[in-house]
Structures are given as C-alpha cells and as structure tokens.
Amino acid sequence: MGRDTAHVSRAVQRPAKDVWAVVRQFCVPWHPLIATMQAEQGGFVRVFTVKGAATQYREQLTWFSDSDQCLRYTHVSGIEGADRYDATVTVADDSAGARVTWSAEITGSRSAEIANGSEAIFDAGIAALTDAVPVCEEVTVGPATVEIAHHHVDGAPQLAMSATPTRAGPICVFLHGIGGNRSNWDAQLKALGPYVQCVSLDLRGYGDSALGADQSQIEDY
C-alpha cells in the first residue's frame, strides 16, 4: 500500500481575506471543475460531481479556523484506490496579495496516481480564485451629517441613552461591554443613522445611568 503527497502553493493577486472568504465556503462550488454540489450534515459534508463524469464524491470537513484562514477535510467516498485522503487548504498574506497552499496526504493502492491528479485539481482551483474573488472598489465615506441626541430618561433610577433621528423600520440597539459606555458607539451611530434609527445606552451603573438604591434586577434592565 503506497503513501504519497500532493502539494501546490501559488500566489493569487487578491487580498488574502477576500480569497479566504471564498475558500472557507466548504459547500459552495467555486472550483471550476465542479458540476453539482450539495451540503449534508449541516454543511460539514459536501457531495459533488465533476464536469464530464458521473462519479459522486463525498468529503467531510474535519477542521476549520477563520483566524488561521485554514481548513482541513477528508475523503469519504468516490476516489477508487484511496484508503485515506486528508487535505489541507491555507490562505496566507503574500507580497502579491495572497498565497494559497493546498495539499493532501494519500494512502492506498493508487496513491501516486491520485496525488498527481490531485495536484492538477488543486492548481486549477487556485488559478480560478483570481476570478472567483469579487473585486471590491474602495469607498470613501464622507463626513457624517446625522445628529445624535442624548437623552436622560427620568425615573428611579435614571437611564441615559443616545439616539439618531426616528426612521421607519427596526431600531438598531448598541450595548457596551464591561467598563464601557454609550459613547463607545458614537461612530457607529453616525455611520448607520442615515439608514436606520440607532440607539446606544448606558447600562445600569455605567456612564450616566444610575443603579438606584436597591439591587438592580433583570426587570430594571
């Protein structure tokens, strides 16, 4: 029983984060050789056919990391002569934009032949990523013109909040974390205020919102 490795590493002239946004979609047929594809088991398994063939292939996602921009998968069925097939795809920053590295460890009676075929498939996939990644034009955002009103809701205890002008539709509410306050979200309120009404508030005991004499309860929030 043989054991072989398929390995392709190529530069793609697109930002790495944009290339990863395509590659990370395990059950989306962005590879140019894919004819049909469907997801199973909540997107952890992909079942697909390739152009010009009737064989159905099944692969399972085994590891995934957005921070490392890397995923791993294993062959389940479809490749004759492969007892084990474990592949890894990684997208990294590169001087040209991104570097995509695609490799696989193959064990089986046809491991050498499968490795050669896999390298051709990997190479075609990486080459196609230049066209698969949408080109995003840079957009310059002008100065915000929306006004932010600061309110103090009287009561016991007092509640402080900031809001953009009333608009039809849902309200987007921003909540700060420990040690924060409603002013943390001023930039977001200015950016989104022209499109949807936005509200940020000081949670009880933060900023200008008071705790009150008694212990705050869920109902108070």
Side-chain angles (χ1 to χ4, degrees), residues 162 180-188 200 202:
S162 300
N181 59 69
R182 70 187 193 278
S183 67
N184 296 155
W185 302 108
D186 283 355
Q188 283 78 9
S200 63
D202 289 332

Side-chain angles (χ1 to χ4, degrees), residues 122-198:
F122 297 169
D123 195 62
I126 297 174
L129 281 169
T130 299
D131 298 323
V133 177
V135 178
C136 299
E137 298 180 359
E138 292 189 4
V139 178
T140 302
V141 179
T145 57
V146 66
E147 295 292 330
I148 300 177
H150 302 284
H151 305 277
H152 291 86
V153 181
D154 294 329
Q158 174 180 275
L159 177 67
M161 71 178 200
S162 300
T164 59
T166 301
R167 294 185 180 277
I171 297 175
C172 183
V173 180
F174 292 88
L175 301 177
H176 63 78
I178 295 175
N181 59 69
R182 70 187 193 278
S183 67
N184 296 155
W185 302 108
D186 283 355
Q188 283 78 9
L189 264 64
K190 290 180 179 179
L192 294 179
Y195 311 102
V196 61
Q197 185 179 16
C198 300

Side-chain angles (χ1 to χ4, degrees), residues 113-130:
E113 181 182 349
I114 294 170
N116 289 335
S118 294
E119 288 189 346
I121 292 171
F122 297 169
D123 195 62
I126 297 174
L129 281 169
T130 299

Side-chain angles (χ1 to χ4, degrees), residues 12 14-31 64-71 89-93 98-100 129 132-136:
V12 177
R14 290 286 188 272
K17 63 179 180 62
D18 295 340
V19 175
W20 173 244
V22 175
V23 173
R24 72 188 298 278
Q25 301 178 81
F26 186 66
C27 293
V28 173
W30 56 265
H31 195 291
F64 178 92
S65 173
D66 270 329
S67 58
D68 294 333
Q69 297 189 154
C70 177
L71 65 81
V89 189
T90 302
V91 180
D93 289 319
R99 175 159 293 275
V100 181
L129 281 169
V133 177
V135 178
C136 299

Side-chain angles (χ1 to χ4, degrees), residues 48-142:
F48 63 95
T49 60
V50 298
K51 295 176 180 177
T55 304
Q56 189 177 74
Y57 299 90
R58 182 176 274 100
E59 295 172 341
Q60 180 175 352
L61 185 66
T62 57
W63 190 82
F64 178 92
S65 173
D66 270 329
S67 58
D68 294 333
Q69 297 189 154
C70 177
L71 65 81
R72 296 173 187 156
Y73 63 91
T74 188
H75 162 257
V76 178
S77 63
I79 304 178
E80 182 181 351
D83 297 327
R84 188 172 183 85
Y85 186 110
D86 295 313
T88 302
V89 189
T90 302
V91 180
D93 289 319
D94 185 82
S95 57
R99 175 159 293 275
V100 181
T101 302
W102 201 338
S103 61
E105 295 288 336
I106 305 109
T107 302
S109 60
R110 297 176 54 249
S111 59
E113 181 182 349
I114 294 170
N116 289 335
S118 294
E119 288 189 346
I121 292 171
F122 297 169
D123 195 62
I126 297 174
L129 281 169
T130 299
D131 298 323
V133 177
V135 178
C136 299
E137 298 180 359
E138 292 189 4
V139 178
T140 302
V141 179

